[in-house]
Structures are given as structure tokens and as C-alpha cells.
């Protein structure tokens, strides 16, 4: 029951982040580019919970984004699933105690998400890429995401460790059953 309530809280947080991205950060653009809060959010879920939850939340919110704004259904879902899985991988191989490590993870996952989405859509929609404009926007988006992680790092860490304690708690008595 406790994990269900935490999952419900994560879904509500995701909807709030979605609301902020659509309504607030669409007006706070830098050179016409807004940050991708969902990449940061799904990465944090993968980092602080488990791979199953990271991939599941990535699929749910990716499909939500595709249904509301996407030209092709499933592309954001696939890419956010990958981000959720990468968050779980990073958790096993890197420390999430350091702000620099989190920033490097956000840089990598933002680039992977945007390049993957651009590549998949270019194949599916058969368009010629304008790579110079794309990389300029990608650079601005990465810098914007870094700025947001620096500002909100204490909140990310506090909520992340709360999720970590509830999803990764190992009870000695039930460990082998």
C-alpha cells in the first residue's frame, strides 16, 4: 500500500512537471528553446528508484507527450524508456551524491533523447535535417537543463532519497524469500 501511494505521488509530481513545462517554461524560453523537464524527471526516477519504475514512468509520460503533442505516437515513449533505463544504469555505476555527476548525466541523457528523437522522426517522416539549427537548439536546451538542475538540485536530491528509501529498502528478514 505504501509503494502504491508513493507511485501515485510520483505520477502527480510528473503531471505537475508536465504542467510547468507546458504552461510556465513555454513562456520562459532562451532563444526560442525551452527545457525538457521530462528528461530530468525520468532520469531522476531511474536514478533513485529501480529500472522497472524508470522505464514504466518513461513509457507513460512519453506516450502522454506523444498523444498531446507528437506527430508520431511512441517516439517520446521509447526515448523516455531509454532515459529511465539509463538512470537505473547510472545508479549502479556512478555516485548520485555529487552535483557534477548529476549534471553530466543530465547532459548525456538530454543529448541522447534529442538525437534519438530527431533521428527516429527523420526516418519516419522522411525529412532532411537542418543539423546546424538542430545542434544550436540542442546546445541551448542542454545549458537550460543544466541551469535548472543546479537551481533545483537540493529538491531533486531530497525527493530522490525519499523515493530511494521506499523503493530500495532491503529488509534482512525478507531478503531471501
Amino acid at each position: 500500500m505504501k509503494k502504491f501511494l508513493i507511485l501515485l505521488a510520483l505520477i502527480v509530481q510528473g503531471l505537475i512537471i508536465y504542467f510547468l513545462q507546458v504552461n510556465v517554461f513555454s513562456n520562459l524560453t532562451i532563444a526560442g528553446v525551452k527545457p525538457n523537464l521530462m528528461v530530468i524527471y525520468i532520469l531522476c526516477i531511474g536514478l533513485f528508484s529501480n529500472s522497472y519504475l524508470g522505464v514504466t514512468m518513461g513509457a507513460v509520460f512519453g506516450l502522454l507527450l506523444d498523444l498531446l503533442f507528437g506527430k508520431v505516437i511512441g517516439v517520446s515513449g521509447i526515448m523516455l524508456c531509454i532515459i529511465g533505463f539509463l538512470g537505473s544504469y547510472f545508479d549502479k555505476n556512478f555516485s548520485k551524491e555529487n552535483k557534477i555527476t548529476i549534471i553530466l548525466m543530465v547532459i548525456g541523457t538530454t543529448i541522447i533523447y534529442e538525437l534519438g528523437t530527431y533521428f527516429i522522426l527523420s526516418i519516419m517522416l522522411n525529412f532532411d535535417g537542418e543539423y546546424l539549427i538542430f545542434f544550436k537548439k540542442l546546445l541551448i536546451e542542454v545549458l537550460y537543463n543544466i541551469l535548472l538542475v543546479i537551481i533545483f538540485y537540493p529538491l531533486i536530491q531530497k525527493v530522490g532519497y525519499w523515493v530511494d528509501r521506499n523503493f530500495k529498502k532491503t529488509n534482512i528478514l525478507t531478503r531471501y524469500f
Side-chain angles (χ1 to χ4, degrees):
M1 183 67 176
K2 186 177 181 181
K3 286 188 180 184
F4 175 75
L5 292 175
I6 294 167
L7 182 62
L8 189 62
L10 289 175
I11 291 171
V12 169
Q13 285 176 354
L15 292 173
I16 291 170
I17 288 172
Y18 168 76
F19 174 80
L20 288 172
Q21 183 166 338
V22 170
N23 293 318
V24 175
F25 286 102
S26 62
N27 296 324
L28 298 173
T29 61
I30 298 175
V33 178
K34 59 185 174 185
N36 196 335
L37 299 177
M38 275 300 153
V39 168
I40 299 170
Y41 183 64
I42 299 300
L43 172 66
C44 289
I45 289 176
L47 271 174
F48 291 102
S49 66
N50 54 35
S51 61
Y52 176 74
L53 186 62
V55 169
T56 303
M57 294 292 276
V60 168
F61 283 108
L63 288 175
L64 176 71
L65 290 173
D66 282 340
L67 288 172
L68 295 174
F69 299 110
K71 293 177 182 164
V72 177
I73 305 297
V75 175
S76 293
I78 291 168
M79 294 311 297
L80 286 177
C81 282
I82 292 170
I83 300 302
F85 180 76
L86 283 174
S88 168
Y89 174 78
F90 290 153
D91 177 39
K92 293 174 185 153
N93 296 306
F94 298 100
S95 171
K96 54 190 172 205
E97 303 290 326
N98 191 347
K99 188 187 296 189
I100 301 297
T101 307
I102 300 289
I103 289 171
L104 291 173
M105 290 177 196
V106 168
I107 290 170
T109 54
T110 301
I111 291 171
I112 288 169
Y113 176 84
E114 293 299 336
L115 281 175
T117 302
Y118 194 76
F119 178 72
I120 292 170
L121 288 177
S122 70
I123 291 172
M124 294 179 87
L125 299 176
N126 197 21
F127 65 84
D128 293 330
E130 297 178 358
Y131 299 110
L132 188 59
I133 295 170
F134 170 73
F135 284 113
K136 178 184 154 197
K137 289 183 178 184
L138 177 62
L139 177 65
I140 295 169
E141 183 179 328
V142 166
L143 292 173
Y144 205 167
N145 281 355
I146 291 170
L147 179 65
L148 290 175
V149 167
I150 290 170
I151 292 170
F152 293 112
Y153 180 74
L155 180 65
I156 291 169
Q157 197 172 32
K158 189 173 195 172
V159 172
Y161 284 130
W162 175 72
V163 170
D164 189 280
R165 278 191 308 275
N166 289 296
F167 273 93
K168 293 184 181 174
K169 187 167 93 174
T170 303
N171 189 345
I172 295 172
L173 297 175
T174 60
R175 188 168 156 189
Y176 299 107
F177 296 102

